[in-house]
Amino acid sequence: MNKGFLQAGHLPTLIAAFLYFDVSFMVWVLLGPLAVQIAADLHLSPAQKGLMVAVPVLAGALLRVVNGVLVDRIGPKRTGAIGQVIVILGLLAAWWFGVSSFAQILLVGLALGVAGAAFAVALPLASRWYPPEHQGTALGIAGAGNSGTVFAALFAPGLALAFGWNAVLGLAALPLVAVFVAYLAMAKDAPNRPAAKSLAEYAAVLRNPDAWWFMVFYSVTFGGFVGLAASLTIYFNDVYGLSPVIAGYFTAACVFAGSLVRPIGGALADRVGGVRSLSVMYAVAAIALGIVSLGLPSAWLALAVFVPAMLALGMGNGAVFQLVPQRFRAEIGVMTGLVGMTGGIGGFWLASSLGLSKQYTGSYQAGFLVFAALAALALVGLTGVKRRWRTTWGAAAATTARI
C-alpha cells in the first residue's frame, strides 16, 4: 500500500467493508468450529455433519446473486444494512428459542447463509471507490474480511465448552451489533454508481464466456478456502483425535494463513498480473490437497501441508478479483454476485463431499482428491484463455493494470 492508494479512494468505506465482511464470515462458518459439540448432542452421522457445515455455504452462495442484484438497484450500503439485521435477528432467535434437532440446525444454517452473502456487498462497496490500478489491493483488503473465520475457529469451541454451543449463537450477535453501528457511520456509496439494469441485462452477462471462466476459477480458490474452513475442525477431531478446542486451534492456523494473504494476493496480482500469480497458486493448491489425501501420519504434518494449500487458495481469491473488475467494471455488482455464488458452491461441494466420503468409504481421501483434480483443471483452463485475455480486453488496460 502506498500514498497514491490512500488518496485514490475512500478509506472509511474500505474499513467499513472489511469489518462488515469480517464479522459476517465469522458467523457464516460458525457451525464448523461448533460441529463436534453439536454433532454429539444431536447424534449426527458423518454425512449429516458434512451437510450441516455445508448448508450455510450453499445458502450464502445462492444469496450472493440476490445481493448482487440489490447492490446495483438500491446500493451496497443499504443492501449490507438489511443483511446484517437479518443475521443478527436470526442468531438471537436461535439462542433464545434453542436448537434441538437436525432440521432446526439446518434452519440456523440458512440464516447464517445471509452472512455469507456479504461478499457480494462488501466488494462492490469498496471496489467502486478505486481505479483499475488499485483494484487488487482494495479488494484484497476488503476481502481479507474472510479472516473472520479465524475468530470462529479460535473462540467458538472454547466458548461452547464453557457456556454451551447454543449460547455461542447469542454471543456471536454482539460483535455483529457493534460492527453494524460502525458500518452505518463509516460506509458511503461511491458517487459513480452504475445505473440499475434490467433482469435481461443481468442475464446477458452470462452470454460472455469470460463470466463463466471467472465463476469456475473462483469456485476452486474460494470454494477450497471456505470448504476447508468449515470442515477442518471435524477433520482434525475425527482423524487425529484432537479435542474440539485443539482442533479449532489447528483450523484457525490454517484459516489465518489463507485469510492473511488475500490482500497480498491482490497486491501481487497488481504487480505481476492476475493470470501469472493465479497459475502458480492453482499448482500449489492441487499438489498440497493431493498430498493431504494420502492420509498423513500426524496432525502436525497435516497442518504443515494444509497451511500452504490455504495460502495458495487465499492468494488466489485476491488474484481472481484483481481481474474481475477490469473485465466487468460496469457489471461489478452482478459479477460479484455470480462469481461469489460459484465460490460458495465450490465450498458446499468440498464440505459435503468430505462428509459423504467419510460416510461411504471410511476416509476423506476421495473428497480431497476430487478437489485437487478441480484445481488442476482450473490451471489447464487458465492456461487456455490467458493469451486471448491479454490480447483483447487486457490490452486495453495495459497502461494502468496488469492482466
Side-chain angles (χ1 to χ4, degrees):
M1 190 185 303
N2 54 38
K3 186 177 181 180
F5 172 80
L6 294 175
Q7 295 174 342
H10 191 251
L11 188 59
T13 295
L14 183 60
I15 295 172
F18 166 78
L19 292 174
Y20 162 45
F21 200 15
D22 199 52
V23 295
S24 295
F25 259 53
M26 178 188 72
V27 297
W28 188 31
V29 301
L30 187 61
L31 297 185
L34 296 175
V36 175
Q37 289 109 319
I38 294 174
D41 284 354
L42 302 184
H43 309 291
L44 304 184
S45 69
Q48 287 177 319
K49 285 192 285 185
L51 184 60
M52 174 182 66
V53 300
V55 161
V57 179
L58 180 61
L62 299 177
L63 289 170
R64 286 176 177 192
V65 177
V66 177
N67 272 3
V69 174
L70 288 176
V71 160
D72 283 344
R73 290 186 172 270
I74 66 174
K77 180 176 181 177
R78 189 177 301 174
T79 303
I82 294 170
Q84 288 177 78
V85 170
I86 292 172
V87 175
I88 291 168
L89 292 178
L91 283 169
L92 292 176
W95 164 69
W96 182 260
F97 294 107
V99 179
S100 58
S101 70
F102 180 57
Q104 289 176 348
I105 199 64
L106 293 184
L107 288 176
V108 174
L110 290 175
L112 297 182
V114 178
F119 174 92
V121 178
L123 268 63
L125 181 67
S127 172
R128 289 175 176 172
W129 281 102
Y130 290 87
E133 62 268 25
H134 293 304
Q135 284 293 315
T137 303
L139 293 184
I141 292 171
N146 58 26
S147 60
T149 53
V150 177
F151 301 125
L154 272 178
F155 300 117
L159 289 171
L161 192 63
F163 304 107
W165 59 264
N166 194 78
V168 177
L169 301 178
L171 291 171
L174 298 178
L176 266 69
V177 171
V179 167
F180 179 59
V181 173
Y183 175 89
L184 293 178
M186 299 170 64
K188 182 178 179 182
D189 286 336
N192 60 341
R193 194 177 96 192
K197 299 177 178 62
S198 67
L199 292 179
E201 288 176 306
Y202 288 122
V205 75
L206 293 175
R207 293 196 291 269
N208 189 319
D210 289 343
W212 290 95
W213 279 117
F214 281 126
M215 288 189 280
V216 169
F217 296 149
Y218 203 64
S219 70
V220 175
T221 60
F222 183 78
F225 173 84
V226 75
L228 291 174
S231 304
L232 284 180
T233 300
I234 298 173
Y235 178 81
F236 281 117
N237 170 262
D238 187 36
V239 175
Y240 300 107
L242 302 184
S243 71
V245 174
I246 300 302
Y249 291 158
F250 273 62
T251 301
C254 298
V255 173
F256 179 74
S259 58
L260 177 70
V261 297
R262 180 164 183 155
I264 299 172
L268 180 64
D270 281 340
R271 184 174 295 272
V272 305
V275 169
R276 183 177 300 172
S277 57
L278 193 56
S279 297
V280 175
M281 294 159 197
Y282 280 136
V284 172
I287 293 169
L289 291 174
I291 293 172
V292 164
S293 73
L294 300 176
L296 298 172
S298 75
W300 287 103
L301 280 175
L303 178 65
V305 178
F306 274 124
V307 166
M310 292 293 265
L311 286 170
L313 294 169
M315 293 181 74
N317 292 334
V320 170
F321 271 91
Q322 185 261 358
L323 294 167
V324 172
Q326 296 182 58
R327 181 66 181 89
F328 294 100
R329 186 165 183 81
E331 302 90 1
I332 186 62
V334 68
M335 277 303 299
T336 301
L338 288 171
V339 173
M341 175 193 71
T342 51
I345 290 174
F348 171 81
W349 165 259
L350 178 58
S352 59
S353 66
L354 288 174
L356 290 171
S357 177
K358 176 64 176 178
Q359 177 87 17
Y360 294 109
T361 71
S363 79
Y364 295 97
Q365 183 178 43
F368 285 124
L369 277 177
V370 169
F371 213 81
L374 291 176
L377 288 174
L379 175 59
V380 172
L382 184 62
T383 303
V385 299
K386 66 181 181 181
R387 180 177 177 83
R388 177 175 62 81
W389 283 7
R390 285 169 172 163
T391 56
T392 54
W393 59 269
T399 58
T400 57
R402 308 264 331 242
I403 301 301

